[in-house]
Amino acid sequence: MNRNYCLPMMLSAFLSICLLSCKKDDNKLETQKPVVALPEKIDANRTLKSDTIYTFAVSVNVTNNAVLTIEPGTVIKSRSVAAGAGRSGYIAIERGSKIMAEGTAEKPIVFTSGTPSGFQQHGDWGGLYIFGKAPVSAYDENTGGAGTEMTLTGLGALLPSGGGNDPRDNSGVLRYVRIEFAGVGSAESYGLACVGVGSGTTIENVQTSYTQTSGFGFFGGTVNAKNLVAFNNRLAGFVYSNGYTGMQQFIVSYKHPYFAAPGPFISTCDALLVLNDTKGYPVAPDTRPVLSNVTAVGPYNNPGYNSALPWNAALNVSYSGAFVLRNSILMGMPKGGIKFSDDIAAQRLIDGTSEFSTNLVHSNISADAFTVDPGAVYSIDAAGVTDYAVNHHNKMYVKPEEIGLTNPFKFALPELLPTTGAAALTGADFSGEPFQGFFKKVTYVGAFGTENWMQNWTDFYPFTIKY
């Protein structure tokens, strides 16, 4: 894979002025910390402390029911790719083991590249993967039938498997965590992937940024999540697949105009991608995430936007997937606000398995705000999806500024709160099932009301941080 180390430097020069006034003091290395290399296998309880920098050269597997505890403010880095070494592998939490990564807004836990500041790239290491014992909808390629567990391939090493029969399985806690420069050139590579992770697990306030492929992947399982940020991911911001049925609220997917998927991936750069199986195998039960208060921002007309890159839709539903999406903002993507790329997935909308309601939608091409792939969908056309959308309290906007977010296309530091009087401040609907229990019943549509929960712990230009 060709790697252009000049690009971050060019971006640094371009953005330095606009970032100078808003970067935090903690971007400077205050003290020299000792560096400790992690082993390839952690098979007993271990705590990583904030007074130490941890590195890894290949992959790290937490196994044998071990608990990996990480203190607030701890930094875990891959090796330096710029120094001539190959990229580091993944960090995997195996079934039965746990990760207890509980940072704070002031002291987030960071998984990042060990390449020197200014030279980091998308895909300097493999990503963080959690495997649990909750059910997955899998396909057994050996038997041609249903499988009860699954893994992800394409990382140059064999990952563990996830899946089981315990929907309440607990794989630990991720809270106030940043994952940067992860993922490799494979469609099954992620910043954070959860495979068969159960609802006993806590995932809150997590950002994945500058990933070579997708930001978050949820494969089967029932884990719920809130306050997630996918920024500058070259493929999808979020992938939901293989029977995932969890609930998520306050979600941001943000596409950087400079970057989309590399050449082999065609029309795969979505904000949200829902499907039953990543390879299109017939699996059951259906994937059906329940999502509320999403803000998905595409590249729109930002400087540097290249229409030749494989940008796609804000919400792309394919390979028989189902979903529920309410109270959300979809804007700035060129090939649809919501798009059905598979006929069975479209039928899920028609028969009521899927729901799309109370959303504010914009597409770069207005006619594609509610659309289908005409070469793959036969049960309903774009006009039919538009009729459904209008009849389910969705609104279409010709211009993104009509939605009324403060400065959504300021990719150096997105300003996603609604302005005074914006339509997004009112109108949210949490009536009926399944919007009871987990969801916080707010009045606003999109990920933000009047409070910016991304403050302090996120970072949208980590090239300049000297960890």
Side-chain angles (χ1 to χ4, degrees):
M1 181 177 298
N2 293 328
R3 303 178 64 83
N4 182 359
Y5 289 104
C6 293
L7 184 54
M9 300 300 288
M10 294 170 60
L11 286 174
S12 180
F14 178 78
L15 295 176
S16 59
I17 296 176
C18 62
L19 290 172
L20 184 61
S21 62
C22 61
K23 299 307 291 181
K24 304 185 286 275
D25 289 340
D26 61 5
N27 285 356
K28 297 180 180 179
L29 187 63
E30 295 180 355
T31 59
Q32 186 67 40
K33 297 180 180 180
V35 177
V36 171
L38 294 174
E40 294 183 32
K41 182 180 292 186
I42 297 175
D43 56 9
N45 294 351
R46 180 167 182 174
T47 298
L48 307 186
K49 297 184 174 295
S50 60
D51 61 1
T52 301
I53 298 292
Y54 296 89
T55 65
F56 60 101
V58 284
S59 294
V60 178
N61 283 62
V62 181
T63 186
N64 194 39
N65 298 322
V67 177
L68 177 64
T69 301
I70 306 176
E71 290 185 347
T74 302
V75 175
I76 301 97
K77 301 195 298 186
S78 70
R79 62 186 170 191
S80 172
V81 179
R87 65 167 57 90
S88 295
Y90 54 79
I91 297 175
I93 313 301
E94 297 190 11
R95 282 183 290 191
S97 294
K98 291 182 180 180
I99 180 170
M100 303 299 293
E102 298 191 64
T104 67
E106 293 73 27
K107 295 182 178 181
I109 293 165
V110 182
F111 296 84
T112 191
S113 170
T115 300
S117 176
F119 291 90
Q120 310 98 314
Q121 287 282 291
H122 297 72
D124 276 350
W125 62 288
L128 176 61
Y129 297 79
I130 304 176
F131 298 87
K133 299 178 181 179
V136 300
S137 297
Y139 180 83
D140 189 328
E141 296 184 16
N142 295 319
T143 66
T148 58
E149 60 181 39
M150 64 173 290
T151 189
L152 301 172
T153 59
L155 291 175
L158 182 63
L159 278 165
S161 295
N165 56 11
D166 184 4
R168 296 182 177 86
D169 185 45
N170 184 353
S171 294
V173 177
L174 290 182
R175 183 180 283 124
Y176 291 106
V177 171
R178 291 205 309 267
I179 302 170
E180 302 165 350
F181 305 110
V184 299
S186 164
E188 291 195 330
S189 170
Y190 299 85
L192 171 65
C194 297
V195 182
V197 175
S199 61
T201 308
T202 298
I203 299 179
E204 300 175 355
N205 296 87
V206 179
Q207 179 186 30
T208 65
S209 64
Y210 295 88
T211 59
Q212 178 71 350
T213 45
S214 296
F216 292 85
F218 295 90
F219 301 90
T222 54
V223 63
N224 304 317
K226 65 180 180 180
N227 293 11
L228 305 184
V229 181
F231 179 75
N232 191 4
N233 315 113
R234 301 188 86 173
L235 285 182
F238 294 83
V239 176
Y240 305 100
S241 185
N242 293 94
Y244 174 72
T245 56
M247 297 173 282
Q248 299 188 5
Q249 188 176 21
F250 310 125
I251 305 299
V252 173
S253 177
Y254 195 101
K255 292 297 181 186
H256 195 296
Y258 293 179
F259 303 103
F265 304 102
I266 306 300
S267 296
T268 52
C269 190
D270 306 290
L272 313 174
L273 174 61
V274 179
L275 29 75
N276 266 2
D277 182 82
T278 55
K279 297 179 180 178
Y281 288 129
V283 298
D286 288 338
T287 301
R288 190 173 181 264
V290 180
L291 310 174
S292 183
N293 298 96
V294 174
T295 295
V297 180
Y300 190 48
N301 60 352
N302 260 324
Y305 170 61
N306 183 355
S307 61
L309 293 174
W311 305 104
N312 203 24
L315 169 60
N316 185 18
V317 193
S318 189
Y319 288 159
S320 309
F323 69 96
V324 177
L325 179 66
R326 280 196 201 172
N327 309 321
S328 296
I329 297 171
L330 310 176
M331 61 190 299
M333 291 296 284
K335 297 180 181 177
I338 177 172
K339 178 181 180 180
F340 291 90
S341 300
D342 169 80
D343 194 60
I344 298 178
Q347 292 176 33
R348 299 280 190 261
L349 184 73
I350 298 170
D351 67 20
T353 304
S354 291
E355 178 192 329
F356 181 77
S357 64
T358 321
N359 303 298
L360 310 182
V361 182
H362 160 268
S363 178
N364 293 9
I365 301 173
S366 296
D368 289 340
F370 312 107
T371 190
V372 302
D373 180 346
V377 178
Y378 315 102
S379 299
I380 190 172
D381 59 12
V385 178
T386 301
D387 287 342
Y388 172 97
V390 171
N391 291 326
H392 287 79
H393 309 290
N394 299 286
K395 296 180 181 179
M396 182 183 75
Y397 293 85
V398 175
K399 297 180 179 180
E401 53 265 30
E402 295 172 344
I403 294 176
L405 301 189
T406 302
N407 195 352
F409 299 112
K410 181 184 176 183
F411 59 84
L413 192 66
E415 298 177 5
L416 302 179
L417 273 63
T419 57
T420 302
L425 285 172
T426 60
D429 177 11
F430 291 91
S431 61
E433 292 293 340
F435 287 92
Q436 308 306 314
F438 170 78
F439 290 96
K440 181 179 180 181
K441 294 177 174 61
V442 296
T443 59
Y444 54 87
V445 172
F448 303 94
T450 57
E451 179 182 355
N452 183 4
W453 49 261
M454 296 191 300
Q455 281 186 333
N456 296 324
W457 64 276
T458 58
D459 198 289
F460 295 93
Y461 195 72
F463 289 105
T464 59
I465 303 178
K466 296 179 181 179
Y467 291 111

